[in-house]
Amino acid sequence: FHTRTRMFLMAQPLLKIENLHTYFRTDKGIIKAVEGLSIDIEEGKTLAVVGESGSGKSVTSLSVMQLLSQAAQIESGSIWFLGRDLVRLPEPEMRQIRGAEISIIFQEPMTSLNPVLTVGFQVMEALIMHQGISKIEARQRTIELFDEVGILEPDQRVDSYPHEMSGGQIQRVMIAMALSCSPKLLIADEPTTALDVTMQAQILDTLRELRDRRGLSILFITHDLGVVAEIADDVAVMLRGKVVEYGPVADIFNSGQHPYTRGLLSCRPRLESKFKRLPTVEDYMKIETDIDGDIQVVEKTLDAERITYFNTAGRGRLLHPQHELEALGYTLDPGIDTADTQIISVDEPPLLDVEDLRVHFPIRKGLLSRTVGQVKAVDGISFRVYRGQTLGLVGESGCGKTTCGRAILRLIEPTGGCVRYDGTDIGSLGSAQMRRIRKRMQLVFQDPYGSMNPRMTVQSTLVEPMKVQGIGANTADRRERAVALLEEVGMEAAHLPRYPHEFSGGQRQRICIARALTVEPEFIICDESVSALDVSIQAQVLNLLKDLQERRGLTYVFISHDLSVVKFMADMMAVMNEGKIVEFGPSENIYTDPREDYTKRLIDATPKDDLKNIKIRQAAREAVRQRRTYN
């Protein structure tokens, strides 16, 4: 009787949301952020809520926590948690639940922490407030939590400030803070966005282990179905505030019914894929809006002709000259290389030639700021990029990828080595000469919002580089060029008078690409240019970059921590670790037969969303549940 009773109680949902409607009242009208949402989360299980930006995922989590802004209001519905309706709970009682019984990990950990307080103090504060323990006890408990979530040297890190820790470490601090009072429900709002794949894998492993050991329930919010496959038991797919598909993770991945689900599953680059162009959500469905503002999804048929297009559109791989491939130990392999794989002519000079590039930063300490050591961010790397090629630079955060890209453009002065662009030693150029050559070399930054002036309109953003480089006869001519560029990247002339905050992340990145094209460059460095985008928007931007390369004959250095994205984009690939290139060769060969253990770890860390892996995960989860039920 005792065991049956426990099993019955465990079958009841820990959290039950019924017909939730959360609206925002703005000057432009009512925005229905969440409309008619109904989901359940059982004890010890993980429900993943997945969808693009604006689908209502984060608003759902804020509705549960009752942390909505003044402009937002829950119009109707209920949120039942352990027999209490949180919607109708008085604020003092809700305040006791937050942190103690329901905790949340926010999307941007660095902005969630106070920069002038140590990370340990911020965790201790929650312990003291909710559990009423002393400072000494709180400090010891914080050290134990840091150790539990995998922070090395926890007794020292407890006194660190946020800026002294990496992105992965900060995310672990947020997990420790969320778990400090042993909550029953953990809400994880995009906890792995923009982390490199190895750090993402570590965070997911940490969450899985904590869930299984503590019996936690997790509401996991993400836009990446690859991550969902790694951690979820059940999945709710959201579109425009509504759940369009809901069920066990294996069913969603094996036989997703809604075209939006199928679109999200297809648009993510995969290591094993041979696609030259990525499908997008628009290939599976079309959204139509009626007079009342209600949306209707019209399904599209993805026929064999369209699939053939994804496999054949655009050029094949463009590899280094034969003698350089042989020197690297590679030959053309009929089993790997397609018929349209091309090799650079032996007499063609490289457009970019990097030789023994070094960028070292001094470590200064003491009252007189004496140099006591060096951080070797880039430590003697050499590579070549030929005209029309894409070289992928891949590695974990801190490996030196971004520093290398900026040193090539002399946005950071190299410590040593040589960078030749089209035969010219860039290091020997004066400021005036460097300004002229930068017309040919451009950079697309990782954070589109941070790289744009929030007080400048799109028109000003695009026209200013033209003025500096003397492009365009007059203001009218430059405006026409700006319109043409916007249309080329999939935007409209009507966007010119708007400001950066009026656009989505994907639209801002398109504007940044247009800005890079204003001076008509031939070489572009893309620095993590899609890492923080929804997978559906990421697919659109990657396709756009390939189209622009083919149309304009561009040469790219594509920097990313995601090996699957680099493999899709790149002809040749350089794998970086601790400032050095540890593996270099054709991207297909490096994926098919990696030579270095570090490369193998990057491949293994990439989320696997195949049905076999999902079933293995679910079998392991079921074994854990059985042990918890009968112990």
Side-chain angles (χ1 to χ4, degrees):
F1 173 79
H2 177 67
T3 300
R4 287 203 308 271
T5 302
R6 286 187 62 190
M7 292 181 65
F8 173 78
L9 291 173
M10 288 179 66
Q12 301 305 303
L14 179 74
L15 181 78
K16 186 177 185 65
I17 302 177
E18 294 181 319
N19 200 27
L20 180 68
H21 293 76
T22 303
Y23 296 169
F24 285 80
R25 301 184 182 278
T26 69
D27 295 336
K28 297 180 181 179
I30 295 176
I31 298 174
K32 298 179 180 180
V34 177
E35 192 172 9
L37 177 77
S38 296
I39 55 175
D40 295 346
I41 304 178
E42 295 180 19
E43 184 179 340
K45 283 198 171 186
T46 299
L47 170 68
V49 178
V50 64
E52 298 170 285
S53 296
S55 63
K57 310 184 302 295
S58 293
V59 176
T60 299
S61 68
L62 294 174
S63 297
V64 172
M65 295 293 289
Q66 297 292 292
L67 290 174
L68 294 165
S69 67
Q70 292 183 348
Q73 184 176 349
I74 296 177
E75 298 290 324
S76 61
S78 56
I79 303 172
W80 293 96
F81 177 74
L82 295 177
R84 293 166 289 182
D85 186 358
L86 304 184
V87 176
R88 292 157 184 83
L89 208 62
E91 176 56 26
E93 292 184 38
M94 190 65 216
R95 198 178 297 124
Q96 295 300 315
I97 291 176
R98 292 193 201 104
E101 297 184 66
I102 305 176
S103 288
I104 186 167
I105 305 169
F106 290 102
Q107 182 171 354
E108 297 181 7
M110 190 60 78
T111 59
S112 301
L113 293 173
N114 190 325
V116 301
L117 299 175
T118 64
V119 292
F121 177 84
Q122 295 180 68
V123 177
M124 290 164 57
E125 190 177 32
L127 286 165
I128 293 169
M129 181 172 63
H130 283 288
Q131 297 191 358
I133 60 180
S134 68
K135 289 184 179 180
I136 294 176
E137 291 175 310
R139 180 182 174 85
Q140 183 58 39
R141 178 65 182 134
T142 299
I143 292 172
E144 292 170 359
L145 284 166
F146 279 15
D147 183 55
E148 186 178 11
V149 299
I151 295 175
L152 299 178
E153 300 177 332
D155 55 332
Q156 297 179 34
R157 281 301 187 180
V158 75
D159 295 318
S160 298
Y161 289 88
H163 71 273
E164 296 178 304
M165 306 182 79
S166 68
Q169 289 173 324
I170 287 293
Q171 195 62 283
R172 291 174 187 273
V173 170
M174 293 302 299
I175 295 172
M177 185 182 294
L179 297 177
S180 60
C181 298
S182 301
K184 296 179 176 62
L185 174 65
L186 176 65
I187 300 174
D189 187 0
E190 300 273 13
T192 61
T193 297
L195 294 179
D196 60 57
V197 287
T198 52
M199 190 58 65
Q200 173 179 270
Q202 291 174 25
I203 295 297
L204 292 177
D205 283 341
T206 299
L207 288 173
R208 277 194 296 262
E209 183 183 347
L210 290 168
R211 173 196 62 192
D212 296 342
R213 186 166 65 246
R214 289 175 170 236
L216 268 175
S217 298
I218 300 178
L219 175 60
F220 194 96
I221 295 170
T222 182
H223 62 259
D224 190 345
L225 276 164
V227 173
V228 169
E230 291 286 321
I231 198 167
D233 297 304
D234 301 301
V235 182
V237 182
M238 288 190 72
L239 172 65
R240 302 285 183 94
K242 296 181 178 180
V243 172
V244 295
E245 192 150 7
Y246 186 26
V249 62
D251 292 350
I252 296 294
F253 277 79
N254 186 43
S255 56
Q257 299 299 309
H258 199 276
Y260 182 62
T261 306
R262 295 202 296 274
L264 289 178
L265 286 168
S266 300
C267 64
R268 186 174 171 274
R270 287 177 171 81
L271 284 169
E272 68 277 6
S273 173
K274 297 290 184 181
F275 280 169
K276 294 179 182 176
R277 189 176 182 87
L278 291 171
T280 65
V281 171
E282 284 71 22
D283 290 306
Y284 288 84
M285 54 173 271
K286 177 183 178 183
I287 294 180
E288 296 180 350
T289 307
D290 60 23
I291 300 175
D292 298 327
D294 295 325
I295 66 167
Q296 182 178 359
V297 175
V298 179
E299 185 172 358
K300 293 182 180 180
T301 302
L302 196 64
D303 54 25
E305 182 180 349
R306 188 67 175 161
I307 294 174
T308 301
Y309 169 74
F310 294 140
N311 281 296
T312 59
R315 67 166 175 81
R317 306 286 181 185
L318 183 59
L319 306 182
H320 275 28
Q322 183 70 39
H323 68 281
E324 292 190 30
L325 290 177
E326 290 175 354
L328 292 167
Y330 294 102
T331 56
L332 287 182
D333 183 347
I336 297 175
D337 300 297
T338 55
D340 57 357
T341 297
Q342 301 177 56
I343 294 180
I344 298 289
S345 172
V346 68
D347 57 354
E348 182 174 339
L351 180 64
L352 178 72
D353 189 358
V354 177
E355 185 178 345
D356 194 29
L357 181 65
R358 283 165 282 135
V359 182
H360 298 172
F361 297 103
I363 301 172
R364 303 183 190 275
K365 288 187 177 180
L367 185 63
L368 300 177
S369 296
R370 296 182 188 275
T371 300
V372 297
Q374 289 183 324
V375 175
K376 298 180 179 180
V378 178
D379 193 20
I381 67 173
S382 301
F383 60 85
R384 292 178 171 182
V385 184
Y386 290 85
R387 197 177 297 273
Q389 263 191 334
T390 298
L391 170 71
L393 275 181
V394 64
E396 297 172 285
S397 298
C399 72
K401 309 184 300 293
T402 294
T403 303
C404 173
R406 297 191 178 207
I408 290 171
L409 298 175
R410 274 188 63 190
L411 298 176
I412 295 175
E413 288 294 336
T415 305
C418 181
V419 177
R420 297 184 187 88
Y421 183 79
D422 203 11
T424 301
D425 183 357
I426 291 178
S428 65
L429 299 180
S431 58
Q433 294 170 307
M434 196 64 214
R435 187 179 297 113
R436 284 195 294 272
I437 204 167
R438 281 207 180 106
K439 179 180 177 181
R440 303 170 63 187
M441 309 167 71
Q442 285 293 299
L443 174 66
V444 178
F445 293 92
Q446 177 176 358
D447 179 6
Y449 191 69
S451 65
M452 297 173 71
N453 189 328
R455 298 186 178 184
M456 290 176 64
T457 63
V458 172
Q459 180 170 325
S460 300
T461 298
L462 298 182
V463 166
E464 185 184 48
M466 299 184 205
K467 288 182 180 179
V468 172
Q469 295 289 355
I471 296 174
N474 49 45
T475 301
D477 182 32
R478 294 186 187 106
R479 186 185 186 281
E480 288 180 10
R481 288 172 179 264
V483 170
L485 285 168
L486 280 181
E487 291 174 347
E488 188 174 8
V489 300
M491 305 284 284
E492 300 174 1
H495 294 137
L496 281 176
R498 297 187 187 177
Y499 290 87
H501 72 271
E502 298 180 86
F503 297 95
S504 67
Q507 288 174 319
R508 283 196 286 264
Q509 197 60 285
R510 288 173 183 268
I511 294 167
C512 288
I513 293 171
R515 179 178 60 184
L517 296 174
T518 55
V519 294
E520 300 174 357
E522 56 191 4
F523 173 79
I524 298 178
I525 295 177
C526 301
D527 184 11
E528 298 276 15
S529 52
V530 297
S531 63
L533 300 178
D534 292 343
V535 288
S536 55
I537 304 301
Q538 174 181 275
Q540 296 173 16
V541 173
L542 293 176
N543 288 338
L544 170 63
L545 289 170
K546 282 204 165 189
D547 290 342
L548 291 171
Q549 182 175 45
E550 192 168 358
R551 191 159 56 237
R552 289 174 169 258
L554 296 170
T555 304
Y556 292 140
V557 169
F558 193 90
I559 297 170
S560 178
H561 61 255
D562 191 336
L563 198 140
S564 58
V565 171
V566 171
K567 176 182 171 290
F568 172 74
M569 286 294 298
D571 303 302
M572 302 290 292
M573 185 188 297
V575 181
M576 287 192 69
N577 184 29
E578 296 182 350
K580 297 180 182 293
I581 291 177
V582 297
E583 190 160 0
F584 186 89
S587 56
E588 287 283 356
N589 294 75
I590 286 180
Y591 160 64
T592 306
D593 186 22
R595 299 173 177 177
E596 298 295 324
D597 290 339
Y598 178 74
T599 309
K600 294 174 184 177
R601 289 203 303 271
L602 287 180
I603 293 173
D604 291 341
T606 303
K608 299 170 182 62
D609 58 4
D610 57 283
L611 195 59
K612 179 182 177 181
N613 181 70
I614 292 172
K615 288 182 176 178
I616 291 172
R617 291 282 187 206
Q618 291 305 299
R621 290 283 294 116
E622 185 59 32
V624 170
R625 277 197 294 270
Q626 291 294 331
R627 286 197 300 269
R628 288 188 59 83
T629 300
Y630 291 102
N631 285 342

